[in-house]
Structures are given as structure tokens and as C-alpha cells.
Amino acid sequence: MSPDNVQVPEWAWYYIAVYFFVAGTSAGAYFIGAMEELFSSAKEREVSRAACYVAFPLLLLVPIPLIADLGRPGRFWHLFIYNQGGYPYLNLQSPMSVGSWVLLVFGVCTLLSFLDNLVADRVISFPLFSRYYNRIPRKLYALVGSLAGFFIAGYTGVLLNVTARPFWAATSPLMGALFLVSGASTGAAAISLYLIWRQRNAGQEVARLESFDRALMISELLLIAVLLVLAGHTAQLLLTLPFLVIFWLGAVALGIAAPLWFKYRSRRQHFGGVPHLAHYLCILAGGLLLRISLLQAGQL
Amino acid sequence: MAKGMFIDTTICTGCKSCQVACKQWNGLAAEPAHFGKRSGVTYPVADNFTGDSYDNTGSLSATDWRHVRFIEQIDEQRREKRWLFSSDSCKHCSDAGCLNACPTKAIVRTDLGNVVVQQETCIGCKFCIPSCPYGVISFSEESGTVHKCTLCNDRIHNGLGTACAKACPTGSIRFGEVADLRRRADARLAQLKGKGEKAQIYGYEEADGLKVFYLFTDRPGVYGQPEHPIVPQRRLVLCSLVTILTALGIGVAALVNFRERLNGKEEHHES
């Protein structure tokens, strides 16, 4: 398939790749928090709490780039309601349509978890919410929210795979898997950054988060390797400027390999448990650059 | 009864009357020239003019719903030459990638089988653009929505043929019921093959059958059409399955890491 055959959507990276990154990080953070909520001891809630405080504010940013990139931003509500019939509309064949609805569900779950933690931490006190919050099935929306989070982090990659642009099509079916793993990794980094900012040393919990993130980053490297093999000659663009810098140097070396090496080194030298700001910032920057490079490489 | 068009490229003369008729009937503006300075040239040059062919538009766009492609083949010794023409437009696929991708139901199929964009519903998300394997659908900065050939939706729902078919002086573009057009295409193909010419019909199998199909005398790629177009949404199930499996993998990894509660419960039961 020649690139001449398929037109370029000209999605602006500063809207769409940033949306992919923010939504993926929010979703990744939330499902890590939900996992601790569901499977960890009742005393250990630092990661879960941090995840809720990270996921919802990040999600608030999501609609801004998404709507800004539309040619007719004022009509964004057409994603949910068919304007000519006035009834709700969902197209199961369109990842964008399903993604819009799941974003709503995810938004509700992150909001509930956010409020739940604010009440538990006595930051706010809604008399009605406070009275009933213990009865609200926290685990239910942690479960629904984590499933929605998995979807949000992954569907953005699937959306690219189910187009006819040569690079995106050639990387099928791995883009969703890569974005999902990357979302979990950047989510874990965002939680760690929050814990550093709040100066909370969660000890055992952070150690578990670190080992989880290590596994994610190794998986991410493997997925990138297989994805490039699948992409074949369509990935040649990644060997030219500026992708040599933003993909290889930024996303792979700075965003994955360097933090992974640092984790390995600190483990060997028993630095464990000491959080390093730059380390997490590198993971976050790498996640953003990964999405920018994969989005742009498909559009050139 | 599905309506469509049969484009017999062997009798196209590249006159572009179809391009002009399409623009006139649909009220489409001419593509504005984008003049810019070029190094070594003292006067401004239009960057979007092809400049190396009688093909003046280069591709389909939001204001060029029909494009006559000039395929100029000259051998290295510049002795043998061949010109092919192909009047390209939306194929109105039976399994349309653009329609599948649309999240707002802006792209719909009518009772006559043609695929149209409802301008008042489109939000300009542009997801349909890379979802069309033929590169047909285009975004207009002016309207903030996408545009493409409608198969002259207004004309055909009033018993008229398409404007391009009406204007075609050689009968290269035929409008009618798809079944009738296929019979005509098969007969023409048999005639050409009888003369020993290499010919093929493009559009019977692709995307479950194109409502606008072509008679080519060379590979589809020569005419700028994908050799094996794939409706991209057919990858959706596989991509989703792999992503779900990855999610399960991450879930298991998280379970291994955050399993303290389960261990705690087991210990509690043992005691």
C-alpha cells in the first residue's frame, strides 16, 4: 500500500499525542491504584490514594486537547448524541466512538475515587457524601474504573492500528499493547512523583511499585522491538531526523533504558527506596516522546 | 437497487470535463494557489501546482471530488511512450472504512447504496481520513468538516445520473444500477481480452465490492490505486484481543506485586 493512496489526518501532535499521553498516564495511575485497593492490605493505601489524586486532575485536562483538535469543537457532543435523531449513538466499529463513552465512565469512576479520598482524608466534608461514603461500593468503582482505565490506555493505540496509514497499519496489532504498557509505566511514575511531592515515604508499597514498573519497562522495550520488526520498511522514517532524537534518544534511551539501568544499579547498590525526581521525570518525558514519535511517523 | 458507476479507462481521453462538471454541479471552489518564494526564482511560484504534468490537481481533496489522473510513461530512451488516464473519485465501498470509523454517524449510506457525509453532523475529528484505503476523504479548513464525492446524491435521488457521467463525452464514465454496469464491464473485459489485451476489472472484490469500479489495462498500482486495499476496521478484533491479553498480563503482574491482601487472608484462614 503506497502512502500516496491514504491521506494524512494531520492530527497536531500537541493536541493528540498530548491527549494520548495524559489520558494514558491518568488511566495507568488509576488502575495501579485500583489494583492496590483490590489486592493489598487495608492499611496500605498510600499508592492507591496517590493514584486517585493523580488520575482525576489529569483526566480533567483530557477533553481540552481532544476538543481543541476538532474542526468543529462546538459540536463535540455529537460524539454521544446523534444530532439528527436526538438519541445516544455508539459505533462499536469505531475505537473513537467507544473510547468517548468509556472516557465518560472512567471520568465518573475517577471522580468518585477522588471524592472518596478527599472525604477519607478529611479535606472536604460533604455531609451527605460523608454519611454514605462507607456504604458506596468503593471496590466496585475501583474495578469498573480499572477496566475502563485499561481501555483508555490501550484504545488510543488500537485507534492508530485500525487506519490505512502504512506505518500504523504495519504495526498492527501491537500499538494498543505498547500504549497500554507505556500508560501503566507513566502512571506508576506519576504516582511516585506525587508521593515525592507530598513527601510520603510509603516504604514497602513504593518498593512494590518499583518492581512492577521495572517489569513494565522491560515489556515496553520488548514490545518496541517486535513492533519495529513488524513495521519493516515503513519504520525507516524512525532512522531519520528528528525521529533519531525524539524516538531513539528520547523515548527509548532516556524514557526507558536509562531509568531501567538506574533501577538496576540502585537495586545492586542498595539505594532502593530513595526516590529520584529526575528518574521519574525521564519516564514521563519518554512516554510523551514515544507517543509524539509514533503519531508523527505515521503522518509523514 | 444500488446505483454506481463503471469507469472504462480505455476510452478516457483525459479531457477533464468530469472534473469541471463535478465542480460546477456541487458548487466546489477551485483549489486556491499557494504562492511562495523559491530560492533562485525571482517571481512567486504556486507550491500546490503539480507543474510536471497535465494533471492539474494531483489528488482528490475537499474541493476536488473528482480527479483525472494522467499516467505518463516514457521509456529511458524516450522512444516508447504511453499515456493512461483514470478518472478517480470516491468508490462508495460496500464495506466503507470511512463510515465504519465515523464516531458521530456523520457518514451514512443512503437507500441507493452511496456513502455521503452529513455536513451538519460532522465534528471534524478526521478519523475517517486515514481510515479510507483509497485516500478519498479530505478535510476542509474552511468548513471544519470532511468532504468527498456524494455520487451526486441530490441528482440520483431525483432520477438523474451523476454530473460527471453526464458530461463524459466518450462514455468512459457510465452511471446506472450496479448489476447492469457489471454486465457491461464483463462484456467489455471479454472484448478486450479477445483482442489479446491485458485488462482487469478493479472493484469486484475490494472492500466487499465497490459501487464505483474500473476497467484497467495495467496493475491497479499504475493507476494510483492500492493493489490490495484492506478495510482497516477488519483488524479491530485482532488488535483488541492482543490489547486485552496485554491488559491481563499487566493485571497478573499487578496481582503478583499487590497480593498482600490475598496472602493475609490465607494466613488468617490457616490460623
Side-chain angles (χ1 to χ4, degrees):
Chain A
M1 195 178 288
S2 152
D4 297 339
N5 296 126
V6 184
Q7 293 201 29
V8 182
E10 290 178 6
W11 285 322
W13 70 263
Y14 43 85
Y15 289 140
I16 299 303
V18 166
Y19 157 67
F20 285 177
F21 170 70
V22 175
T25 303
S26 167
Y30 189 84
F31 67 65
I32 288 169
M35 287 296 158
E36 193 188 57
E37 177 71 44
L38 292 169
F39 300 117
S40 219
S41 74
K43 287 179 196 165
E44 295 182 331
R45 290 201 69 252
E46 278 299 333
V47 166
S48 162
R49 181 182 298 157
C52 293
Y53 287 142
V54 164
F56 181 67
L58 278 181
L59 197 69
L60 283 180
L61 302 175
V62 158
I64 300 166
L66 203 55
I67 292 173
D69 194 59
L70 297 178
R72 299 295 295 260
R75 295 179 177 176
F76 76 93
W77 57 275
H78 292 191
L79 286 162
F80 306 103
I81 306 288
Y82 178 45
N83 70 319
Q84 309 222 9
Y87 53 80
Y89 179 67
L90 168 67
N91 179 1
L92 288 173
Q93 279 194 296
S94 169
M96 194 178 277
S97 178
V98 181
S100 307
W101 281 101
V102 178
L103 258 178
L104 266 190
V105 174
F106 183 61
V108 171
C109 293
T110 52
L111 173 65
L112 285 173
S113 297
F114 185 71
L115 290 176
D116 192 10
N117 278 284
L118 287 179
V119 172
D121 289 346
R122 299 180 191 282
V123 178
I124 58 166
S125 170
F126 291 139
L128 192 65
F129 194 80
S130 302
R131 193 188 304 166
Y132 292 106
Y133 97 95
N134 273 330
R135 292 188 213 164
I136 296 171
R138 179 191 285 173
K139 282 184 179 44
L140 178 67
Y141 53 76
L143 181 69
V144 175
S146 62
L147 290 176
F150 274 127
F151 184 93
I152 295 301
Y155 98 94
T156 47
V158 173
L159 183 144
L160 296 182
N161 270 167
V162 297
T163 65
R165 287 296 301 168
F167 175 67
W168 293 338
T171 54
S172 170
L174 287 187
M175 204 79 100
L178 177 64
F179 278 22
L180 186 64
V181 174
S182 171
S185 178
T186 53
I191 292 172
S192 302
L193 274 182
Y194 176 85
L195 292 172
I196 292 171
W197 176 54
R198 302 297 293 177
Q199 295 182 324
R200 288 180 191 272
N201 188 356
Q204 192 65 28
E205 290 176 86
V206 170
R208 284 207 295 267
L209 192 63
E210 291 277 301
S211 84
F212 178 59
D213 200 16
R214 214 165 27 240
L216 289 173
M217 284 197 283
I218 292 169
S219 313
E220 206 176 337
L221 277 181
L222 288 174
L223 277 169
I224 288 174
V226 180
L227 185 132
L228 291 177
V229 171
L230 281 180
H233 73 278
T234 62
Q236 276 174 353
L237 207 66
L238 292 175
L239 296 172
T240 61
L241 283 171
F243 295 102
L244 276 174
V245 177
I246 61 173
F247 181 73
W248 291 108
L249 200 63
V252 178
L254 186 78
I256 308 171
L260 202 55
W261 175 79
F262 187 80
K263 276 180 201 281
Y264 172 75
R265 191 167 161 264
S266 57
R267 201 177 171 211
R268 280 193 61 172
Q269 297 183 359
H270 306 291
F271 292 165
V274 183
H276 291 271
L277 192 67
H279 167 95
Y280 299 118
L281 288 175
C282 279
I283 296 176
L284 288 175
L288 177 61
L289 293 175
L290 179 81
R291 285 160 180 80
I292 291 174
S293 47
L294 295 181
L295 182 83
Q296 292 305 97
Q299 298 199 86
L300 293 177
Chain B
M1 287 293 182
K3 302 282 188 186
M5 289 195 287
F6 165 49
I7 319 290
D8 183 348
T9 62
T10 62
I11 51 173
C12 176
T13 58
C15 72
K16 299 186 199 174
S17 56
C18 53
Q19 265 187 212
V20 176
C22 177
K23 273 200 184 283
Q24 286 189 330
W25 181 262
N26 294 296
L28 301 173
E31 197 76 33
H34 305 302
F35 288 98
K37 288 290 286 179
R38 200 170 289 174
S39 61
V41 183
T42 51
Y43 48 87
V45 177
D47 296 324
N48 60 332
F49 284 180
T50 57
D52 57 354
S53 167
Y54 287 95
D55 180 341
N56 64 329
T57 56
S59 65
L60 295 168
S61 75
T63 52
D64 291 315
W65 295 356
R66 184 159 280 283
H67 162 230
V68 179
R69 188 181 289 267
F70 282 59
I71 301 123
E72 296 150 50
Q73 297 173 321
I74 303 168
D75 73 344
E76 284 182 8
Q77 286 76 38
R78 303 189 69 79
R79 287 182 186 151
E80 296 286 322
K81 60 177 182 284
R82 178 172 76 151
W83 272 22
L84 301 172
F85 310 110
S86 175
S87 184
D88 194 15
S89 70
C90 174
K91 280 90 184 156
H92 298 274
C93 315
S94 295
D95 186 9
C98 61
L99 190 152
N100 294 340
C102 182
T104 62
K105 209 179 177 180
I107 304 179
V108 293
R109 188 183 302 285
T110 77
D111 55 330
L112 295 179
N114 54 322
V115 177
V116 297
V117 182
Q118 303 185 106
Q119 289 300 319
E120 59 277 25
T121 306
C122 179
I123 57 172
C125 70
K126 298 177 246 180
F127 187 33
C128 54
I129 295 173
S131 300
C132 170
Y134 299 102
V136 165
I137 201 155
S138 308
F139 182 73
S140 160
E141 294 288 347
E142 204 174 317
S143 68
T145 56
V146 292
H147 298 263
K148 71 169 191 72
C149 153
T150 65
L151 202 76
C152 285
N153 192 45
D154 48 354
R155 289 177 63 96
I156 66 172
H157 277 89
N158 285 291
L160 299 168
T162 55
C164 55
K166 188 83 175 170
C168 180
T170 64
S172 167
I173 303 174
R174 295 272 178 183
F175 172 81
E177 284 184 13
V178 172
D180 292 342
L181 292 173
R182 282 194 174 200
R183 275 192 289 277
R184 179 185 283 271
D186 290 338
R188 176 68 176 148
L189 181 69
Q191 188 187 28
L192 287 173
K193 285 198 165 171
K195 287 183 185 172
E197 288 199 38
K198 195 173 79 174
Q200 62 169 303
I201 303 288
Y202 181 79
Y204 282 178
E205 307 296 331
E206 291 77 9
D208 280 355
L210 309 178
K211 301 283 189 306
V212 177
F213 52 96
Y214 297 79
L215 175 71
F216 290 150
T217 52
D218 209 326
R219 291 182 302 104
V222 172
Y223 292 85
Q225 302 299 339
E227 301 275 354
H228 306 289
I230 295 170
V231 181
Q233 288 77 21
R234 292 186 187 171
R235 287 192 288 266
L236 187 58
V237 173
L238 179 64
C239 292
S240 304
L241 275 177
V242 171
T243 311
I244 289 167
L245 283 176
T246 310
L248 284 174
I250 293 175
V252 170
L255 195 66
V256 169
N257 272 280
F258 298 110
R259 67 185 183 282
E260 298 303 314
R261 169 167 290 180
L262 297 178
N263 288 344
K265 277 183 184 169
E266 280 165 17
E267 282 162 18
H268 182 71
H269 283 301
E270 280 166 14
S271 64

